[in-house]
Amino acid sequence: MSVYKKEYFGIARKIVSNMTTESWEQIPHATMGYEADITDFLKECKKLNEGITAGDKKITINTVIMKIICEGLKAAPKMNCTLHFRRRLVRGSLKYHDTIDISMPMILHTGEMMTVNMHDMGSKTLTEMTAAINDTVRRANNSNMNEVMYEVSLDNTLNGLKNGKFLQTLSRLYGSKMPGRHKVHVLSGSKKKMYYSIPVEDRLTKHDIEQGTTTITNLGSVYKEQKGCCFLLEIIPPQTTAFAVNAAQKRPVVTTDENGKESIEIRTMLPITIAIDHRSLDYGDCIPFFRKLDEIFANPSVIQNWK
């Protein structure tokens, strides 16, 4: 078997591989699917952008779905918790948060993938959410991803040292700083000085990359031609939930009219995959979330109140 290319991990891939490995080593994942009929919902989404001027940013379907998930989390606040668990002592605790901070993977204009923290999205209107997302994209496109990720990695390493993880800290420092193909390359000299002269309001900082309280990945926005849905997705500790929004797809659906007569119609369906950490959540804890989504999709005009 011949090898035509060998690629070494950069800092972004190192962080992703480390976090996802930790996720699958530690977390007993339980996943479930939710299918939303968005046929009528899409019509309401179009109304949100009626009368906007050329300079205004449209409210996207992705933003509305994020808002809907936030409303579901408000109904089921345990799904927005973070977990501290010590297996050796069999001790655990959940932290309930008064904000919904969404870790949101996004693809930059360079083709790089970056997960950003969209802070306090549960309290924002759709217009405010749109502005926050667009501003984050703007600042991300001004940022050097290696520098931002290195700031986060260094912060995590120092926190590990404070928590007594000496071997882990030494291993990470060795892996990132020793000369060779695996060394993490960051800016230095005049390039570093020039980069950090960019005002913090115009670039990302570790505050934008730190852990949120849950993760929402929009697979459908990356590949709209997707068929089927995501079945497994990782939860990044200490988060206890993760969501994957798949591409909208037309499906035959059994519908019931006002007279109780059933028929088969072609409807637009949106599959959403939900993963939970079974150490902290059971299926019953998620029922208020599903009921809230049922309520919204059954009466999609409610989204007009969120603008």
Side-chain angles (χ1 to χ4, degrees):
M1 182 173 63
S2 62
V3 176
Y4 75 93
K5 183 180 179 181
K6 191 172 184 179
E7 183 177 290
Y8 293 90
F9 283 5
I11 187 168
R13 199 74 250 156
K14 285 184 177 185
I15 291 175
V16 169
S17 60
N18 180 67
M19 293 176 71
T20 52
T21 299
E22 183 180 345
S23 168
W24 288 106
E25 284 179 345
Q26 295 183 5
I27 297 177
H29 288 67
T31 58
M32 59 202 84
Y34 179 90
E35 286 202 343
D37 185 338
I38 62 169
T39 309
D40 298 325
F41 165 80
L42 291 175
K43 299 173 186 175
E44 293 294 335
C45 285
K46 287 183 179 179
K47 294 179 185 178
L48 290 171
N49 293 307
E50 289 178 355
I52 67 167
T53 61
D56 293 333
K57 294 291 186 180
K58 288 186 176 182
I59 297 171
T60 67
I61 294 172
N62 297 337
T63 302
V64 184
I65 294 296
M66 183 184 293
K67 176 68 172 174
I68 290 172
I69 292 175
C70 286
E71 293 301 307
L73 291 174
K74 290 178 190 177
K78 196 173 182 180
M79 295 179 72
N80 191 50
C81 283
T82 52
L83 169 70
H84 177 71
F85 181 73
R86 298 178 66 183
R87 187 177 182 186
R88 186 171 296 178
L89 298 175
V90 198
R91 293 177 180 174
S93 62
L94 288 175
K95 292 182 180 178
Y96 285 75
H97 302 280
D98 55 6
T99 62
I100 299 173
D101 299 335
I102 297 174
S103 294
M104 183 184 78
M106 59 187 292
I107 297 178
L108 308 178
H109 69 294
T110 59
E112 298 173 284
M113 193 280 291
M114 169 66 69
T115 298
V116 296
N117 186 337
M118 302 305 303
H119 291 271
D120 198 16
M121 295 302 268
S123 68
K124 288 180 170 62
T125 65
L126 289 172
T127 302
E128 290 169 339
M129 292 174 75
T130 300
I133 292 169
N134 287 328
D135 183 65
T136 300
V137 171
R138 176 188 67 83
R139 291 185 293 117
N141 289 332
N142 290 334
S143 301
N144 182 298
M145 291 300 104
N146 278 358
E147 287 295 316
V148 181
M149 297 296 272
Y150 184 73
E151 285 182 33
V152 175
S153 179
L154 182 62
D155 190 59
N156 289 341
T157 300
L158 293 175
N159 284 333
L161 189 60
K162 291 177 183 177
N163 294 327
K165 298 179 180 179
F166 301 108
L167 289 177
Q168 182 189 76
T169 301
L170 289 173
S171 297
R172 285 184 175 184
L173 290 173
Y174 177 83
S176 63
K177 301 304 289 184
M178 289 298 291
R181 292 187 178 93
H182 297 283
K183 181 179 179 180
V184 173
H185 297 282
V186 292
L187 298 175
S188 61
S190 60
K191 290 183 178 179
K192 184 173 183 177
K193 185 177 180 180
M194 184 179 297
Y195 175 71
Y196 283 99
S197 68
I198 300 173
V200 290
E201 59 267 22
D202 291 328
R203 59 180 169 85
L204 298 182
T205 67
K206 65 181 181 181
H207 176 70
D208 300 294
I209 310 299
E210 66 189 7
Q211 282 281 347
T213 57
T214 189
T215 296
I216 301 177
T217 302
N218 199 313
L219 301 176
S221 66
V222 178
Y223 185 50
K224 294 180 180 179
E225 295 78 15
Q226 175 195 18
K227 301 294 187 292
C229 65
C230 166
F231 292 102
L232 286 175
L233 67 159
E234 66 274 358
I235 300 162
I236 303 302
Q239 296 175 7
T240 57
T241 54
F243 303 85
V245 181
N246 299 274
Q249 299 158 46
K250 290 189 180 298
R251 301 235 181 111
V253 177
V254 177
T255 61
T256 306
D257 64 18
E258 62 274 11
N259 299 315
K261 183 180 180 182
E262 293 182 340
S263 61
I264 296 177
E265 297 181 17
I266 301 299
R267 308 284 290 182
T268 303
M269 306 298 292
L270 181 71
I272 300 174
T273 309
I274 301 102
I276 62 171
D277 184 334
H278 218 327
R279 296 174 299 179
S280 58
L281 289 161
D282 296 314
Y283 180 73
D285 297 313
C286 305
I287 290 175
F289 174 86
F290 292 124
R291 283 182 174 154
K292 188 63 178 180
L293 265 62
D294 287 343
E295 177 188 321
I296 293 169
F297 286 114
N299 302 281
S301 61
V302 70
I303 69 173
Q304 304 302 327
N305 300 328
W306 301 342
K307 190 173 178 180

